[in-house]
Amino acid sequence: MPATVLVVDDESLIRWTLAERFSADGHAVVEAETAKAALVRFGSDIDLVLLDFKLPDSDGLTVLKTMKAKDPDVPVILLTAFSSIETAVEAMKQGAYHYANKPFNLDELSLVVQKALETTRLRREVKALRASQSEPYAINRIVGESAPMTALKSLLLKVAASPASTVLLRGESGTGKDLAAKTIHYSSARAAKPFMNITCSALPDALLESELFGHERGAFTDARQQKIGLLESADGGTVFLDEIGEMVPALQAKLLRFLEEKAFKRVGGSADVRVDARVIAATNRDLEEAVKQGRFREDLYYRLNVMQVNLPPLRERVLDVPLLVNHYIDVFNREFRKQVRGATPQAMELLKSYRWPGNVRELRNAVERAMLLTEGEWLTADGLPLSGARASTAQTMELPEDGVNLDALERELVVQALKRTGGNQTKAAGLLGLNRDQIRYRIEKFGLDKPAAT
Ligand SMILES: Nc1ncnc2c1ncn2[C@@H]1O[C@H](COP(=O)(O)OP(=O)(O)OP(=O)(O)O)[C@@H](O)[C@H]1O
Ligand SMILES: [Mg+2]
């Protein structure tokens, strides 16, 4: 693995010897005679530095400090003519990778350099990997430009930036609670530390307790070894407790103590364990109702409720539907190697008027299925797997044997649309594929604006 090595020494014979050796090892060698020249040359292309301790214009330790401040990842190997334990210790303290005494064994030095370069490469790879891991959860990956989503995104960033810990995410199924939790974590100063995730309803109570808080050896029959729980593993990072409403009261008490004191005991343990982890809890349940019924502790409810983030249902931000549809068309074009260009205007209207009880997840699935099945360049209304919505579109309604009263049917549909939208004429019009003037005309025609009519 060829690298660029900076050799800093005022003795030209030593520079020459080192340059010969490291060129032979396949590296590019850059030379500097003074501290000043070394610091001028030290830049992003340098992978490793061999640094003489005694320089005409400065000492190696000072140069080392300056280099470490500029780029702590580049390994610096200090070379010196005389050995002194104190200097060696000080060099390592300042972040030197290694310390070699002159006259040095070139083979040994070559091995040290090789190891240092390998370590740096790995460290850089880990950094790049972390960055690419958090990238899918960057705030701009949350699709939505409606007012509620714009507000949500700025709130998520504020929450991420605040060190203050607990967050409660609320929203119907599929509104993006998982996504929001990860976005908070990966946009926060905790991003490089672990994100741990557990669904409270997925495990029996006793198991949930030991998963979360860990247990001591012998805590129960099967506990042959000590186990570190999720909270401890997430030290410095974030724990996401999904479906918090399903947690039993005994565990709720233990969680509350952790939120208040940052401490807990492992199952079967007597010592307090202290952990710094932000807790993000989520629920799609009515927690207030659970508190009333005594299933959820009121004190925990208030503790969690300090920072509440609500994820709006999709039907309340119809503006985002076309954005999401196009986003998922892009995603599945790539995944299925298709070239779908979009949805037809009728299909888009249908998608916008649908109620989306499963929210973004349902929309994603609907687009995925339509994309799998389509042969054409455009997604059509017929190709959309929205059973409820399609039954109410004219295309699939069959004329009964003995016919219908079209006028009465039209009136009935207008009444139902108004009922469903709580009397919002614009939204009702949307459900019927009409504009506001068209629905107003019908409201008047059928006398629906008179109080007794519906
Ligand atoms: N605003 C958004 N932009 C892009 N993708 C989104 C958005 N909201 C949700 N999604 C996607 O929708 C799917 C469902 O979201 P998520 O799993 O976060 O929902 P949830 O609220 O946790 O649902 P549940 O309550 O069922 O667990 C995921 O694939 C997620 O990436
Ligand atoms: Mg979820």
Side-chain angles (χ1 to χ4, degrees):
M1 178 196 29
T4 304
V5 176
L6 173 61
V7 174
V8 189
D9 202 306
D10 55 335
E11 281 179 60
S12 58
L13 182 64
I14 291 187
R15 287 202 310 275
W16 181 83
T17 316
L18 293 173
E20 282 291 292
R21 175 61 199 235
F22 291 110
S23 306
D25 285 351
H27 304 305
V29 178
V30 182
E31 298 178 31
E33 216 179 313
T34 60
K36 195 167 166 232
L39 289 173
V40 168
R41 190 56 192 81
F42 183 71
S44 59
D45 63 321
I46 303 294
D47 298 303
L48 182 139
V49 182
L50 291 164
L51 178 61
D52 185 20
F53 184 75
K54 264 189 70 194
L55 292 165
D57 54 339
S58 176
D59 66 294
L61 277 182
T62 311
V63 177
L64 170 66
K65 260 192 235 172
T66 315
M67 286 179 169
K68 282 284 145 181
K70 256 193 184 172
D71 187 347
D73 283 347
V74 174
V76 177
I77 298 171
L78 222 60
L79 314 169
T80 181
F82 52 91
S83 72
S84 131
I85 298 280
E86 291 97 88
T87 331
V89 169
E90 187 54 28
M92 299 312 273
K93 258 198 211 157
Q94 297 300 335
Y97 178 84
H98 196 81
Y99 186 86
N101 289 324
K102 294 182 194 172
F104 26 71
N105 177 328
L106 274 177
D107 288 336
E108 261 174 33
L109 195 59
S110 166
L111 273 178
V112 171
V113 165
Q114 228 171 292
K115 251 185 81 186
L117 288 171
E118 179 69 6
T119 311
T120 317
R121 191 179 61 82
L122 288 177
R123 194 177 301 154
R124 283 181 177 156
E125 265 180 29
V126 169
K127 268 197 178 169
L129 194 71
R130 284 229 174 96
S132 74
Q133 253 182 356
S134 59
E135 201 224 351
Y137 303 108
I139 192 83
N140 57 13
R141 292 300 191 93
I142 297 184
V143 179
E145 281 166 14
S146 61
M149 282 311 274
T150 315
L152 174 74
K153 284 195 254 185
S154 82
L155 181 59
L156 288 177
L157 284 183
K158 271 192 206 136
V159 170
S162 86
S165 7
T166 317
V167 184
L168 178 62
L169 298 174
R170 306 191 66 169
E172 293 175 12
S173 176
T175 46
K177 296 185 293 296
D178 265 80
L179 185 62
K182 288 179 183 143
T183 305
I184 292 173
H185 173 76
Y186 286 110
S187 308
S188 77
R190 298 172 177 272
K193 295 292 174 69
F195 175 87
M196 296 286 184
N197 182 342
I198 193 163
T199 303
C200 299
S201 60
L203 295 173
D205 309 336
L207 207 54
L208 179 61
E209 179 172 12
S210 86
E211 278 298 314
L212 205 50
F213 298 101
H215 61 65
E216 297 295 349
R217 186 166 168 226
F220 42 87
T221 328
D222 288 338
R224 285 194 204 94
Q225 272 167 16
Q226 186 194 58
K227 179 191 162 86
I228 299 301
L230 284 186
L231 279 174
E232 247 177 293
S233 319
D235 197 14
T238 306
V239 175
F240 178 43
L241 300 177
D242 207 355
E243 299 185 27
I244 186 88
E246 310 300 316
M247 193 180 259
V248 292
L251 268 186
Q252 291 172 23
K254 200 162 172 174
L255 177 63
L256 179 64
R257 174 167 182 241
F258 172 67
L259 294 179
E260 283 177 344
E261 297 170 28
K262 302 274 159 242
F264 60 87
K265 293 182 172 61
R266 298 190 193 107
V267 177
S270 53
D272 268 347
V273 179
R274 308 211 144 259
V275 163
D276 163 38
R278 162 183 266 164
V279 170
I280 302 180
T283 183
N284 54 20
R285 290 289 211 91
D286 187 348
L287 277 189
E288 290 76 11
E289 187 56 32
V291 169
K292 260 188 217 152
Q293 293 177 3
R295 283 184 292 111
F296 202 82
R297 291 181 65 111
E298 197 170 10
D299 44 10
L300 178 60
Y301 169 75
Y302 284 119
R303 187 68 184 72
L304 290 174
N305 217 12
V306 172
M307 189 67 239
Q308 181 175 314
V309 176
N310 287 296
L311 291 108
L314 190 51
R315 65 182 168 281
E316 283 174 16
R317 45 188 183 97
V318 175
L319 207 65
D320 293 333
V321 169
L323 292 181
L324 282 162
V325 168
N326 290 329
H327 166 71
Y328 284 121
I329 288 176
D330 283 349
V331 168
F332 293 114
N333 266 337
R334 257 174 276 138
E335 198 166 321
F336 302 152
R337 295 175 195 285
K338 291 215 171 184
Q339 265 142 16
V340 172
R341 293 166 58 186
T344 63
Q346 295 93 312
M348 202 56 102
E349 278 314 308
L350 180 65
L351 289 161
K352 277 160 69 181
S353 63
Y354 183 59
R355 274 184 64 76
W356 300 112
N359 293 294
V360 182
R361 180 181 296 114
E362 187 183 7
L363 181 143
R364 177 184 200 269
N365 293 345
V367 173
E368 180 177 10
R369 268 174 287 159
M371 297 267 300
L372 264 177
L373 299 176
T374 189
E375 305 286 344
E377 288 192 314
W378 297 90
L379 298 187
T380 61
D382 284 343
L384 288 167
L386 309 176
S387 49
R390 211 177 338 148
S392 66
T393 66
Q395 289 99 311
T396 55
M397 203 177 267
E398 229 178 79
L399 183 65
E401 270 306 288
D402 43 359
V404 290
N405 179 335
L406 195 55
D407 221 34
L409 184 65
E410 190 181 351
R411 182 183 193 279
E412 177 56 26
L413 289 174
V414 174
V415 168
Q416 281 190 29
L418 285 167
K419 259 198 191 144
R420 186 179 298 174
T421 58
N424 182 323
Q425 296 187 0
T426 313
K427 284 189 185 160
L431 289 179
L432 298 168
L434 301 175
N435 64 34
R436 256 166 72 100
D437 288 339
Q438 289 169 329
I439 197 166
R440 281 215 182 113
Y441 165 78
R442 285 169 175 77
I443 288 171
E444 272 175 40
K445 179 171 93 173
F446 298 129
L448 299 176
D449 46 354
K450 304 193 179 65
T454 54

